[in-house]
Amino acid sequence: EPEVTQTPSHQVTQMGQEVILRCVPISNHLYFYWYRQILGQKVEFLVSFYNNEISEKSEIFDDQFSVERPDGSNFTLKIRSTKLEDSAMYFCASSDGLNYEQYFGPGTRLTVT
Amino acid sequence: DAKTTQPPSMDCAEGRAANLPCNHSTISGNEYVYWYRQIHSQGPQYIIHGLKNNETNEMASLIITEDRKSSTLILPHATLRDTAVYYCIVRVSFYNTDKLIFGTGTRLQVFP
């Protein structure tokens, strides 16, 4: 069964450093998402992406965040200058249409020290 | 904010049916109800969704009231591996985007 994959599974970085989280969505899907979950808290929507542009972003998704689909298969989330409060699990998801189920990857645990 | 309310926790004996309730009294006519679950810190796993009719798949059944203000997820024969946090979500869609707004969910504990 096709699945969303994410790399790395765990990333440790120092405050102020840039990180790139990578996702490979399910191959025929057209809609892509990033969510995050701070330890012990709710899963929060960050951004949705369709047709090579951001469809919607949350208040969390400020200028430090960016997304890209560089090569037609990968979908990346970049944090330019990480802060301690960016420590969280980051989940990528994909869907093949609006109002179709979103399939989530296993997540990347980001730890900012 | 989440448009759903769920009990924070429930217990269920292994082999019995687990019935997880959800209230979504402000749901709009074209909004779907989705159920996901999350085991430990893994990625949320899709279970089932519906608009107004009851739905069943290999994992669960979804019962939606006629006024659509509440629903119940039924796991017919709960196993220990069904221990997880279950999220009832009203999916918000716009012109070319949609998103899942997660609440705090129901922590289901299945015991032997």
Side-chain angles (χ1 to χ4, degrees):
Chain A
E1 185 174 324
E3 59 183 18
V4 177
T5 59
Q6 292 185 242
T7 54
S9 58
H10 190 190
Q11 174 90 48
V12 181
T13 189
Q14 289 190 326
M15 194 167 52
Q17 295 296 304
E18 174 184 286
V19 294
I20 297 176
L21 309 183
R22 291 183 167 80
C23 167
V24 179
I26 293 173
S27 63
N28 61 336
H29 284 185
L30 301 175
Y31 295 81
F32 313 109
Y33 312 82
W34 283 100
Y35 293 79
R36 80 171 187 189
Q37 185 175 32
I38 295 171
L39 186 63
Q41 298 188 22
K42 299 185 291 186
V43 176
E44 302 172 285
F45 167 79
L46 290 178
V47 65
S48 60
F49 190 87
Y50 169 72
N51 200 26
N52 281 321
E53 60 182 22
I54 291 174
S55 306
E56 186 180 2
K57 56 186 180 180
S58 72
E59 294 175 352
I60 303 167
F61 195 91
D62 62 21
D63 292 344
Q64 294 301 312
F65 291 86
S66 63
V67 290
E68 192 178 29
R69 189 157 161 78
D71 56 12
S73 62
N74 291 284
F75 180 51
T76 62
L77 174 69
K78 181 194 290 186
I79 309 175
R80 288 188 185 82
S81 179
T82 51
K83 303 188 280 284
L84 294 176
E85 53 265 39
D86 293 327
S87 294
M89 282 289 287
Y90 287 81
F91 297 108
C92 172
S94 71
S95 166
D96 62 5
L98 294 181
N99 283 325
Y100 283 68
E101 52 268 35
Q102 293 182 19
Y103 291 93
F104 284 75
T108 292
R109 179 172 298 284
L110 176 65
T111 302
V112 182
T113 60
Chain B
D1 287 338
K3 299 177 71 171
T4 63
T5 54
Q6 300 176 251
S9 64
M10 293 182 66
D11 291 337
C12 179
E14 189 177 21
R16 304 296 295 269
N19 296 277
L20 291 86
C22 178
N23 287 319
H24 32 78
S25 58
T26 61
I27 193 170
S28 299
N30 61 348
E31 290 178 331
Y32 285 75
V33 178
Y34 276 73
W35 284 83
Y36 280 76
R37 72 181 183 184
Q38 188 176 28
I39 299 172
H40 298 300
S41 293
Q42 297 176 22
Q45 178 189 21
Y46 167 79
I47 301 173
I48 199 167
H49 74 282
L51 183 62
K52 60 177 82 171
N53 297 322
N54 297 337
E55 302 289 342
T56 295
N57 62 21
E58 65 278 4
M59 288 183 69
S61 295
L62 174 61
I63 308 298
I64 303 174
T65 57
E66 197 168 333
D67 62 9
R68 301 208 330 120
K69 293 185 177 181
S70 65
S71 60
T72 301
L73 178 74
I74 301 172
L75 307 178
H77 306 286
T79 70
L80 298 178
R81 287 177 296 181
D82 292 323
T83 293
V85 179
Y86 287 76
Y87 298 99
C88 170
I89 299 166
V90 172
R91 188 164 182 170
V92 179
S93 298
F94 298 105
Y95 169 63
N96 65 345
T97 183
D98 64 338
K99 59 187 175 186
L100 300 173
I101 305 298
F102 287 79
T104 51
T106 295
R107 183 172 298 277
L108 175 69
Q109 180 70 52
V110 181
F111 58 90

